[in-house]
Amino acid sequence: MSELLRFATAGSVDDGKSTLIGRLLFDSKSIFEDQMTSVADASERMGLDAPNLALLTDGLRAEREQGITIDVAYRYFATPKRKFIIADTPGHVQYTRNMVTGASTADLAIVLIDARKGVLEQSRRHAFIASLLRIPHLVIAVNKMDLVDYSEDRFNEIVEEFGSFAAKLDISDLTFIPLSALNGDNVVARSEHMTWFEGSSLLHHLETVHIASDRNLIDARFPVQCVLRPQTEEFHDYRGYAGRVASGVFRSGDEVMVLPSGFTTKIKRIDTFDGEVDGAFAPMSVTLLLEDEIDISRGDMICRPQNQPTSAQDIDAMVCWLADETVLSAGSKLSIKHTTRTARAIVKNLKYRLDINSLHRDESAETLQLNEMGRVSIRTTLPLFFDEYRRSRETGSFILIDEATNATVGAGMILGET
Amino acid sequence: MGCGETIAIFHLQCCGGVVAELAKACGTSLPFLPLFWNGCVVNYELSHLKTLESESIHIIREVAAEFERPVLLFSGGKDSIVMLRLAEKAFWPAKIPFPVMHVDTGHNFEEVYEYRDRRVAELGIKLVIASVQDSIDSGKQVEQKGPRASRNQLQTMTLLDGLEEHGFDAAFGGARRDEEKARSKERVYSFRDEFGQWDPKNQRPELWSLYNGRHLRGEHIRIFPLSNWTELDIWQYIAEDGIEVPNIYYAHEREVFERDGMLLAVTEFVTVMDGEKPETRTVRFRTVGDASCTGAVESDARTVQQVIDEVSATRVTERGATRADDRASEAAMEDRKRQGYF
Ligand SMILES: Nc1nc2c(ncn2[C@@H]2O[C@H](COP(=O)(O)OP(=O)(O)O)[C@@H](O)[C@H]2O)c(=O)[nH]1
Ligand SMILES: [Mg+2]
């Protein structure tokens, strides 16, 4: 059985993200001949000497014309051990919202650093965003080692420099790998040029990093997506609650509580199209049948009576603002989507804006503009059933929607009740 | 999924009882209790196919719950067949709560029509046909001329008209991100303006599994539940689930001729030009679309397993091997999508 690992690549422009992805795809034989031909043709038309592997992921006309990555591209490859989904994210500040799109579901992030340039503002910003989004594993890939003579000293300098910054962040698993994406050193196989490095190659790390325990299997949470009532002869009284387990484990026979009503009952059965299951865990999509008839609808949350999410209308969260035409400020009214619940929200206040580079908190700030982040207190029209984001990405996250333009304008990570 | 060893199951069941009591006292289901699925022990790990399946089902249910009039675009190809099966799974034992729409160029293979009609009858759902022929007959569209004529380009307008006529506000498509470089950039919920256009430089951020389907009247959202599936995943799933696909996906003898490095089937819909020599070869289709621009590949793969082996070893992408429409230019797909294509 092969597992799925999602990872995002980030880093400053020209640090070698696209080259690295090209290398991983190439060495795992996931680049096809026609793709290679089309890249070679395009490179030639652009007057390049060698095929530019970046063209594999920079798929939009505008990206090719400008030679930059604007939006996240998804690529897929597999080894006998795992199947991988790569989100190749843009490095420029103005496309941060596209970066968070790609990174929000990642199990692991790779931040590339050019060995010659060392830790740049972009590298810090990306590492910070990765920690804020609580991507469980972070790899700092010190690239272009071939251009610094594969120097151990240079690598250690960067490890130290980044390490002192990382100490201020909340990163649970941090790994440094020196590599040359261009030549393939430490990408798939361990490099002969860097025998001083005792860690594993990047691909080996991706194949073996332990992700099963990243999921929250403790807090049983089941946001109801819809109610299934076939009303056919065969399933006359069938009433199932369809959804995806957000975290934790549910078993038939478990005592459960339904929010907001607070009624308790037991799980009668857990159904899937492929048959009844004894239990369901995140991220399985199943249908729960309950012992008692309770009024339950979309947006309700099924949990355990002794382990409930916080239910509140006043919520503090870190918010990343994603809109260029509007700003967030006290008094902003927005639509909020959290699990399967939609409500309206008003921003009570902006406690501080965070300078992503210095991590300084600016408490005098009155707005959040495009790609800025800050701690915000909101009040919602309905209670939300949430956990702290650090405990559960599924029940701790929300998006904010502009009610006039319908655009997704904010991404929120819940800190707790105000 | 293979069953765990009997001894392990027995052991875990024994201590499971005690731990279950403990768990009850703590109010949690402790994760280290064994779980059974189809009689097998599972250790809280999902295979990559089950993970993809669950993600797709979640998306399909979100759409059914939040949109007024969704529709599933069904082409009879393997991706839309898998998508339809996922929709069936999402709502079982209830019926799929939306109709399917076939944008029919009139130039499809007989096997595809048969399959479509049988499947729709089985599921008891409504089939809407948006016909390119009708658009031509009513004078809305003009048939391309010459031996290279194809109805592929004409599909876009028929599709958009079909969506508008029925007031559909969400349309499920079976596109995958591994298919093509413009697709690899597209969101799961892909916003389309009142002209059905995709604006690749202005896509909505899409975080976690929180999808924003809000839109104004006249606008709609294309939904791609198979975004993260690859061609190989699709075939592995077809094998694992025992899904039937039209037999033109498996190797068979067929009269074909070469054009632009592709093998086109000799049908009433294409004109064989001077110098093109039809001959019988053993082929199968990797994609199924309009017969005038979908190429076959030489293949001996007659079973699902043989197809999986072939797809695992292939060195050419599915669209590169078989789709004339993508060869027009480097950004052919992006341009068509901007205009409202699938
Ligand atoms: N010498 C050397 N050059 C590299 C390496 N990795 C990338 N490059 C070059 O750095 C430039 C930028 O790489 P690219 O992958 O486009 O960077 P991106 O902007 O992060 O995607 C290209 O000219 C690459 O050939 C490396 O390991 N060694
Ligand atoms: Mg790049």
Side-chain angles (χ1 to χ4, degrees), chain B residues 14-257:
Chain B
C14 289
C15 60
V18 183
V19 186
E21 286 310 309
L22 259 172
K24 240 180 235 155
C26 312
T28 58
S29 273
L30 291 181
F32 45 84
L33 293 185
L35 268 185
F36 298 89
W37 194 347
N38 296 333
C40 303
V41 166
V42 293
N43 49 354
Y44 302 96
E45 279 175 25
L46 276 191
S47 70
H48 84 270
L49 284 181
K50 282 286 171 193
T51 307
L52 291 172
E53 177 192 70
S54 175
E55 176 178 281
S56 303
I57 289 176
H58 174 255
I59 294 163
I60 294 168
R61 286 170 168 172
E62 281 300 284
V63 172
E66 292 204 314
F67 286 83
E68 261 168 52
R69 294 188 63 99
V71 66
L72 185 145
L73 300 176
F74 184 78
S75 68
K78 63 183 187 312
D79 302 318
S80 59
I81 288 171
V82 166
M83 180 165 67
L84 190 59
R85 165 58 66 93
L86 291 166
E88 183 182 13
K89 289 193 177 192
F91 304 105
W92 181 90
K95 264 190 212 167
I96 296 175
F98 39 77
V100 305
M101 180 160 97
H102 184 202
V103 179
D104 184 9
T105 61
H107 288 177
N108 280 297
F109 295 98
E110 211 35 63
E111 289 86 342
V112 172
Y113 292 118
E114 267 166 36
Y115 185 95
R116 176 195 76 188
D117 294 340
R118 187 156 39 81
R119 194 74 181 109
V120 165
E122 251 168 44
L123 294 167
I125 50 177
K126 193 176 147 204
L127 170 69
V128 178
I129 295 174
S131 152
V132 174
Q133 187 64 54
D134 287 354
S135 314
I136 293 170
D137 292 345
S138 67
K140 281 186 134 181
Q141 302 222 63
V142 181
E143 181 104 73
Q144 292 182 354
K145 294 206 176 64
R148 285 173 177 274
S150 160
R151 288 185 169 179
N152 194 52
Q153 296 283 329
L154 307 184
Q155 287 184 92
T156 300
M157 189 172 157
T158 306
L159 164 67
L160 295 176
D161 284 351
L163 295 175
E164 191 175 317
E165 185 189 330
H166 298 274
F168 293 129
D169 56 355
F172 291 100
R176 311 184 320 262
R177 285 175 178 152
D178 78 320
E179 273 180 84
E180 205 279 333
K181 57 188 180 297
R183 289 201 156 144
S184 82
K185 294 263 164 183
E186 197 166 7
R187 304 282 190 256
V188 172
Y189 273 39
S190 181
F191 175 83
R192 302 303 171 102
D193 66 10
E194 61 269 52
F195 300 104
Q197 300 180 100
W198 179 52
D199 182 0
K201 281 176 79 177
N202 197 18
Q203 300 195 81
R204 287 179 178 170
E206 190 166 81
L207 290 99
W208 302 292
S209 39
L210 295 169
Y211 302 102
N212 174 6
R214 290 176 58 133
H215 60 278
L216 301 174
R217 239 190 133 69
E219 300 167 342
H220 71 277
I221 312 274
R222 297 285 170 84
I223 316 281
F224 299 110
L226 302 181
S227 286
N228 287 323
W229 296 57
T230 63
E231 184 186 14
L232 187 57
D233 296 330
I234 293 286
W235 278 108
Q236 286 173 338
Y237 192 74
I238 287 171
E240 194 177 287
D241 247 56
I243 299 172
E244 191 199 328
V245 296
N247 49 23
I248 55 175
Y249 275 112
Y250 300 109
H252 58 282
E253 314 281 298
R254 182 181 286 273
E255 206 182 3
V256 294
F257 65 94

Side-chain angles (χ1 to χ4, degrees), chain A residues 12-19 143-144 146-147 180-182:
Chain A
S12 197
V13 186
D14 281 346
D15 282 351
K17 292 180 295 298
S18 303
T19 311
N143 189 31
K144 306 197 186 184
D146 55 308
L147 298 180
S180 167
L182 194 65

Side-chain angles (χ1 to χ4, degrees), chain A residues 351-396:
Chain A
K351 294 199 165 152
Y352 57 80
R353 181 174 61 209
L354 202 65
D355 181 318
I356 304 184
N357 299 309
S358 64
L359 302 182
H360 172 75
R361 296 173 177 186
D362 180 359
E363 289 177 12
S364 67
E366 294 193 339
T367 61
L368 287 184
Q369 303 195 0
L370 175 65
N371 298 323
E372 292 183 339
M373 287 177 210
R375 179 170 180 151
V376 172
S377 302
I378 56 169
R379 179 168 174 84
T380 56
T381 49
L382 296 172
L384 303 185
F385 314 118
F386 61 84
D387 296 282
E388 247 182 284
Y389 184 77
R390 52 176 305 136
R391 194 166 170 96
S392 162
R393 283 213 257 183
E394 287 294 321
T395 56

Side-chain angles (χ1 to χ4, degrees), chain A residues 164-414:
Chain A
S164 60
F165 171 73
K168 294 187 249 171
L169 305 178
D170 200 354
I171 300 172
S172 47
D173 173 31
L174 179 61
T175 307
F176 292 89
I177 302 178
L179 49 87
S180 167
L182 194 65
N183 300 339
D185 291 281
N186 281 342
V187 177
V188 170
R190 292 192 47 181
S191 165
E192 288 167 16
H193 297 111
M194 291 177 275
T195 45
W196 47 263
F197 178 66
E198 282 168 3
S200 48
S201 73
L202 178 66
L203 184 63
H204 184 77
H205 184 69
L206 294 174
E207 284 184 324
T208 52
V209 62
H210 189 63
I211 52 168
S213 53
D214 296 340
R215 277 171 308 161
N216 175 336
L217 290 172
I218 303 289
D219 307 309
R221 305 281 185 261
F222 188 85
V224 175
Q225 286 189 278
C226 47
V227 183
L228 301 181
R229 303 201 55 194
Q231 292 172 310
T232 55
E233 223 161 274
E234 193 187 348
F235 297 97
H236 192 69
D237 295 321
Y238 193 98
R239 198 183 174 87
Y241 304 101
R244 189 167 61 151
V245 180
S247 62
V249 181
F250 288 89
R251 291 155 199 284
S252 42
D254 275 358
E255 191 174 34
V256 289
M257 175 180 270
V258 182
L259 298 174
S261 71
F263 285 120
T264 56
T265 179
K266 277 191 173 152
I267 297 180
K268 185 159 76 183
R269 205 167 77 218
I270 305 175
D271 264 352
T272 72
F273 175 88
D274 297 300
E276 192 181 332
V277 294
D278 188 54
F281 52 92
M284 283 168 67
S285 284
V286 296
T287 301
L288 301 184
L289 285 90
L290 304 177
E291 292 284 357
D292 302 288
E293 283 223 0
I294 305 179
D295 179 22
I296 299 177
S297 52
R298 175 175 171 82
D300 288 2
M301 173 80 83
I302 299 177
C303 61
R304 307 262 295 160
Q306 283 95 334
N307 177 347
Q308 300 172 32
T310 309
S311 168
Q313 282 172 265
D314 290 291
I315 299 164
D316 265 27
M318 286 302 294
V319 169
C320 177
W321 194 247
L322 310 168
D324 42 15
E325 282 155 12
T326 53
V327 299
L328 175 144
S329 57
S332 298
K333 287 199 182 99
L334 300 146
S335 179
I336 184 169
K337 192 170 180 190
H338 169 263
T339 63
T340 55
R341 224 160 213 251
T342 301
R344 299 186 70 209
I346 181 165
V347 174
K348 297 305 254 185
N349 76 62
L350 171 63
K351 294 199 165 152
Y352 57 80
R353 181 174 61 209
L354 202 65
D355 181 318
I356 304 184
N357 299 309
S358 64
L359 302 182
H360 172 75
R361 296 173 177 186
D362 180 359
E363 289 177 12
S364 67
E366 294 193 339
T367 61
L368 287 184
Q369 303 195 0
L370 175 65
N371 298 323
E372 292 183 339
M373 287 177 210
R375 179 170 180 151
V376 172
S377 302
I378 56 169
R379 179 168 174 84
T380 56
T381 49
L382 296 172
L384 303 185
F385 314 118
F386 61 84
D387 296 282
E388 247 182 284
Y389 184 77
R390 52 176 305 136
R391 194 166 170 96
S392 162
R393 283 213 257 183
E394 287 294 321
T395 56
S397 57
F398 61 78
I399 56 170
L400 297 169
I401 299 167
D402 185 313
E403 294 182 320
T405 64
N406 290 332
T408 306
V409 292
M413 287 147 276
I414 298 176

